[in-house]
Amino acid sequence: MNMKRFDVVVFGATGTVGVAIAELFVRSKRPISWALAARNETKLQALHTKLEEDTKGSCECGLIIADCSDVESMRTMTSQARVILNTAGPFSKYGESVIQACIETGTHYVDITGEVSWVCTMRERYEKKAQEANVCITNFGGYDCIPPEICMGLANDALGQSHILKSAETLIEAKNMSNSGIPRGTALTFFDFAGSPLRFFKSLKDSFQYVPVSERAAALKSFFLWTLPKWSSYAGGFTLPNIMGLINIPVIHRSASQLGFGGLTFYDRMPLPKPASNLLTGYGLLAVVAFYSFTPILVTLAWLGCMIFGDRIEKMLMARTIEGNPKAICDFTLVGRGSTPEGTGSKDVRVHLVIPGDPGIFCTGLLSQETAIGMADKAKLNSLPSGFHTPVEALGSVFLAERFKSAGIHVEVSSGGKAVPLASIKEAPTRKAA
């Protein structure tokens, strides 16, 4: 692993998130070796030319032509990298050959997937092989699901050894979202599910297979609570389910089980805008009633539209181009409570993240880039775990938080009303999930 040519290779570099990551690498000027990989040589060269123009000829990155349908080109790409950062989705269609090649060439891997059922399938097929090859396969390295996972990890670690995180509410607000959007691969994944209700419910069922058996009851409880309206004392009003809870809930519960605080109750919420959450609206009650009244109708119409106009919608999604908005803001807050193992005392904890970039593109790009660089640094020290992991499982909450801070992400932790410096937080030892 120490003879690799590049620290990080970004596969799917000509896609929406891949381009954002390339721009972030150029701006950050990190002292690492990196390369861009994609199947379309013309688009890849055009991207490199643009980066050269933007940096006045100082863009020092490699270019690799690789196609996930060509096994040999996959091996050629992965053999040159310490870490492959895979952004080419939908991952259920294009991801398996990349994982296979990484295991065969001893290369670590991270992706930005939110397809939990696919990750579960890959883990069943390749966990043993990855462990035997001493390869770390890290999934969910973007907006799905780093913000809630790192907040959970930091919250539990900040509580110290005397307390364990028992309940947590996460609140996400996206600001300055003009010109934002979701990547084409993500849109195609949603479209695939929207076109078949049976496929959607099967995928949802399979997602909970990703959760260890001992943690499934807690995960199902969190999912049930997610479907309901909830009053938030922190937000000062009613909140709605965060749509990403469909992905976050099974991932968070698996991670919590691995990190030693399984059994928690997790509320994944979105606060209402201030104009919709005041005294005149019953602090959001009117908006909540409207949401639960009209959502079933809108979902039904969406399913019918996808079934009737499926081909047209798919062609439109394939042709769409969205650049994303690096000036958008993702504001993420966790408020939680820990208790002693005996249940004789409790302590409050809060974690606040402010991440630049729109959720689907630049926020995801920044989070996955820093995760990949962190993995490359640990790979040089042979200190990455083998097998399938989430980012916090693979790297630790404090290590990741320090990386994020160095990249311009605001990270703030407090417990019992007092600020907790990252340097003072000791990560709890992990344990293997059942």
Side-chain angles (χ1 to χ4, degrees), residues 248-412:
N248 291 335
I249 290 170
V251 174
I252 291 304
H253 276 279
R254 173 176 170 78
S255 178
S257 178
Q258 290 275 42
L259 298 173
F261 55 99
L264 86 161
T265 302
F266 171 43
Y267 303 93
D268 196 7
R269 313 303 297 176
M270 290 186 68
L272 291 163
K274 294 298 182 183
S277 183
N278 54 46
L279 181 61
L280 294 176
T281 64
Y283 296 100
L285 181 59
L286 291 179
V288 167
V289 170
F291 174 84
Y292 282 93
S293 297
F294 291 105
T295 295
I297 299 172
L298 294 174
V299 169
T300 301
L301 291 174
W303 270 333
L304 289 172
C306 287
M307 286 188 284
I308 297 171
F309 304 107
D311 291 341
R312 292 183 185 179
I313 295 173
E314 186 171 15
K315 289 179 181 178
M316 180 184 71
L317 292 175
M318 290 295 292
R320 71 200 287 268
T321 300
I322 294 178
E323 296 182 355
N325 182 1
K327 295 182 180 180
I329 295 292
C330 291
D331 192 301
F332 199 96
T333 301
L334 176 145
V335 286
R337 175 164 292 184
S339 68
T340 61
E342 302 81 16
T344 56
S346 64
K347 188 189 294 186
D348 293 334
V349 64
R350 176 179 173 271
V351 181
H352 184 213
L353 302 181
V354 181
I355 311 170
D358 53 322
I361 300 174
F362 275 92
C363 170
T364 286
L366 181 58
L367 294 172
S368 60
Q369 177 201 42
E370 291 304 316
T371 301
I373 295 172
M375 288 178 66
D377 288 346
K378 289 219 169 190
K380 295 173 186 177
L381 303 173
N382 293 319
S383 59
L384 279 174
S386 62
F388 280 68
H389 299 279
T390 63
V392 173
E393 291 171 19
L395 297 174
S397 62
V398 176
F399 178 87
L400 260 183
E402 293 284 10
R403 286 217 62 86
F404 292 162
K405 283 190 71 174
S406 70
I409 295 174
H410 173 81
V411 182
E412 179 185 341

Side-chain angles (χ1 to χ4, degrees), residues 190-265:
F190 276 114
F191 167 75
D192 191 43
F193 289 138
S196 173
L198 290 177
R199 189 183 300 123
F200 169 78
F201 285 112
K202 183 181 184 302
S203 176
L204 182 62
K205 174 180 171 292
D206 292 345
S207 294
F208 282 88
Q209 300 299 313
Y210 181 70
V211 182
V213 174
S214 61
E215 186 68 14
R216 283 180 196 165
L220 289 170
K221 175 186 175 183
S222 293
F223 178 74
F224 173 73
L225 294 172
W226 173 80
T227 65
L228 304 175
K230 181 182 183 296
W231 173 270
S232 170
S233 297
Y234 183 83
F238 286 96
T239 60
L240 297 175
N242 175 17
I243 185 63
M244 305 314 296
L246 291 166
I247 301 166
N248 291 335
I249 290 170
V251 174
I252 291 304
H253 276 279
R254 173 176 170 78
S255 178
S257 178
Q258 290 275 42
L259 298 173
F261 55 99
L264 86 161
T265 302

